[in-house]
Amino acid sequence: MVQVQLDTRKFPVDESDAKPSYSWLMFARRSGPDGQAWIDALRHSRVPRVLKAINASLDVMRERRLDEAERMLDDLRETIDAMAPVGPLSPHIADRWFYGAVAYLHYVRRDFDASVNALEQAEAAARAAIRRHPFLLPLARVHEEFAVQRARICRNRRDWDGMHHHLERTEQMLTNDLPLCDLASDDGARDRVAPPGSDPATTRDVYYRAVLDFCRDCLDEDEAAGFDAQTNLPRRLDEFRNFTGQIPAPSGFVIKYH
């Protein structure tokens, strides 16, 4: 997949750390004065510490210390709930990663219904963040990333039709035949094909091409050329198919969760 080129998972310490992976933070900063001011405020808030603590809880989960990880997440939930519900630093950013971690905890415990529910909450948090701050558009890729997680869950349930459905949806997102999400809907997902000649700029649908266009506009000419070379459709599909070739493996096969 193209997560190396358009990374929405990491929280770099500073912008220089983000450049090799084209972090969403870098694009937000480069999008204009509003994005730069938001990033500056974010770095002086509790959010970076919360995100680092979420990463720490994931490390604990990977060591199968699940009860300890659950206690860590319970403490983090209290911290996030104490954040202001409105204003430039509403808790949506923290929730996107918090519920991703909760989804993984349930996944490891094989509580797959709870895992899917947490994925939906993470996606909803990303959509809310984008609605409030359009310069966070790269976060729309969470829908692509979590479609793959749903395929993993179906694999573990031996729901092969469901697994192939989610993998097909992900590929349709990458080819712009299906939007990543609909910012105007409550559930955010659209199981439909884009109408011929449709213009995503006139809808609340967010397509992969719109994310790439936004990112490209934040880069200089040389950077944009390199970005295009790394995110063109044939390369995206090759990386996606190579990555997801692991998913139909037997249910005891461990696939790293990000």
Side-chain angles (χ1 to χ4, degrees), residues 46-47 79-92 95 132:
R46 289 179 291 177
V47 174
T79 300
I80 295 170
D81 288 341
M83 293 180 182
V86 295
L89 293 178
S90 56
H92 303 312
D95 277 344
R132 184 179 294 271

Side-chain angles (χ1 to χ4, degrees), residues 143-191:
H143 295 81
E144 168 218 337
E145 295 167 13
F146 285 173
V148 175
Q149 309 306 346
R150 287 179 171 87
R152 284 192 175 101
I153 288 171
C154 289
R155 186 278 315 268
N156 279 279
R157 283 174 156 167
R158 299 188 179 276
D159 175 7
W160 309 121
D161 289 342
M163 181 190 75
H164 289 296
H165 167 72
H166 289 299
L167 292 179
E168 182 178 348
R169 286 187 66 247
T170 307
E171 185 162 326
Q172 288 178 322
M173 292 177 188
L174 291 172
T175 58
N176 293 300
D177 292 315
L178 193 70
L180 293 167
C181 65
D182 175 7
L183 294 178
S185 73
D186 290 335
D187 63 13
R190 283 281 186 88
D191 264 330

